[in-house]
């Protein structure tokens, strides 16, 4: 699958398309990240997720959803991994992040909430997150990065998580900072008893694709000048 997606995504990129990958579980976009690594000298990954996904292997399998970011970091073109909303990780993953010399930056949910409850604004927290990112950014969005009330059908829900508008505000702030979103994925959206999971997932995908297009100069955003003036 890695090689298949690398080839398919690469062909679309070479045709001048902006590409978004839909999972499946979070292991799916690795081939796309490989394709981007062949076309960009360096970039960072903004990962919105409940989990770190930094395990070398999970139950003996090296290409599972629990290893996607560990595998992505094997690519030297991935200069930075910035993780947002994390609230479930193991000791091995924590030690890997600590040994990364700043290549892995984690913004756990508990840390973000403590800052907000202490009077800091979400805007200020977003600026801290974005300051860790290089000019070119790949967004990897696991739906369980959101509060489980927004994605009750996902496979590994964890209490806590971002609100829908908090996630979109962060994405918009990435674009407003002048950074380019070179690609994105959305994973782990699973059906439930109603259409709710699909509704949230579809709206999130719509926003991801549109803001990626804005960052690449493919479409204009009406609110961009207003925000620049505020800055």
């Amino acid at each position: 699958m890695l090689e298949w997606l690398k080839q398919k995504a690469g062909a679309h990129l070479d045709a001048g398309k902006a590409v978004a990958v839909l999972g499946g579980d979070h292991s799916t976009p690795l081939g796309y990240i490989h394709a981007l690594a062949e076309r960009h000298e360096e970039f960072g990954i903004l990962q919105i997720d409940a989990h770190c996904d930094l395990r070398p292997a999970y139950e003996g399998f090296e290409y599972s959803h629990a290893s996607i970011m560990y595998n992505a970091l094997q690519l030297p073109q991935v200069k930075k991994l910035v993780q947002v909303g994390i609230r479930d990780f193991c000791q091995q993953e924590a030690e890997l992040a600590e040994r990364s010399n700043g290549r892995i930056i984690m913004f756990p949910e508990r840390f973000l909430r403590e800052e907000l409850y202490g009077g800091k604004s979400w805007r200020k927290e977003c600026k801290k997150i974005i300051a860790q990112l290089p000019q070119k950014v790949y967004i990897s969005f696991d739906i369980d990065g959101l509060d489980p009330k927004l994605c009750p059908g996902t496979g590994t829900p964890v209490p806590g998580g971002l609100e829908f508008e908090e996630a979109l505000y962060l994405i918009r702030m990435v674009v407003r900072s002048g950074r380019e979103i070179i690609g994105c994925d959305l994973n782990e959206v699973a059906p439930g008893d109603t259409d709710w999971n699909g509704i949230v997932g579809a709206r999130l995908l719509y926003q991801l694709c549109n803001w990626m297009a804005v960052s690449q100069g493919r479409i204009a955003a009406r609110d961009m000048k207003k925000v620049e003036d505020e800055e």
Side-chain angles (χ1 to χ4, degrees):
M1 180 175 179
L2 187 157
E3 292 299 329
W4 177 86
L5 182 56
K6 178 181 174 182
Q7 178 183 2
K8 291 291 184 180
H12 288 305
L13 291 170
D14 292 343
K17 304 293 184 180
V19 178
V21 169
L22 287 178
D25 72 30
H26 207 169
S27 68
T28 52
L30 185 59
Y32 181 25
I33 297 172
H34 274 253
L36 289 169
E38 290 186 348
R39 291 161 177 81
H40 298 274
E41 291 184 2
E42 62 178 62
F43 59 94
I45 296 177
L46 173 60
Q47 176 192 1
I48 300 173
D49 205 324
H51 311 87
C52 285
D53 297 342
L54 288 170
R55 301 189 185 199
Y58 182 65
E59 295 183 345
F61 183 44
E62 297 178 355
Y63 289 93
S64 79
H65 59 89
S67 300
I68 174 65
M69 293 305 158
Y70 179 87
N71 289 327
L73 287 168
Q74 305 312 303
L75 296 166
Q77 294 89 341
V78 178
K79 299 300 182 183
K80 207 72 172 281
L81 171 62
V82 179
Q83 303 179 307
V84 178
I86 304 298
R87 49 199 190 276
D88 195 6
F89 54 92
C90 69
Q91 185 67 28
Q92 183 184 36
E93 291 174 303
E95 291 174 353
L96 179 64
E98 289 174 1
R99 297 194 309 267
S100 72
N101 294 319
R103 192 180 180 203
I104 303 171
I105 301 294
M106 192 189 307
F107 289 87
E109 174 75 4
R110 186 177 68 175
F111 169 81
L112 292 172
R113 290 300 161 189
E114 285 180 352
E115 293 286 284
L116 293 175
Y117 299 154
K120 301 290 180 62
S121 68
W122 181 235
R123 181 186 182 91
K124 188 170 184 178
E125 295 309 302
C126 288
K127 285 186 175 181
K128 289 181 183 178
I129 293 166
I130 293 166
Q132 296 293 334
L133 292 167
Q135 178 62 27
K136 294 184 177 182
V137 180
Y138 176 85
I139 298 179
S140 189
F141 204 123
D142 187 324
I143 198 74
D144 66 31
L146 298 178
D147 188 299
K149 69 176 179 288
L150 297 166
C151 50
T154 196
T156 50
V158 182
L162 300 183
E163 296 294 338
F164 190 78
E165 282 299 329
E166 285 177 331
L168 294 188
Y169 186 84
L170 174 58
I171 293 167
R172 291 195 298 268
M173 286 285 283
V174 170
V175 179
R176 290 166 179 167
S177 75
R179 287 167 173 79
E180 178 186 358
I181 300 173
I182 62 172
C184 63
D185 65 65
L186 176 62
N187 289 278
E188 308 279 359
V189 179
D193 297 330
T194 69
D195 293 333
W196 179 239
N197 292 275
I199 290 170
V200 173
R203 288 175 178 268
L204 180 55
L205 176 65
Y206 175 83
Q207 294 286 340
L208 279 167
C209 290
N210 274 276
W211 284 103
M212 175 171 61
V214 170
S215 79
Q216 295 181 11
R218 297 171 183 268
I219 59 175
R222 289 177 295 177
D223 66 341
M224 288 294 284
K225 187 176 189 303
K226 178 181 178 182
V227 173
E228 289 171 357
D229 289 344
E230 290 175 357
E231 293 290 341

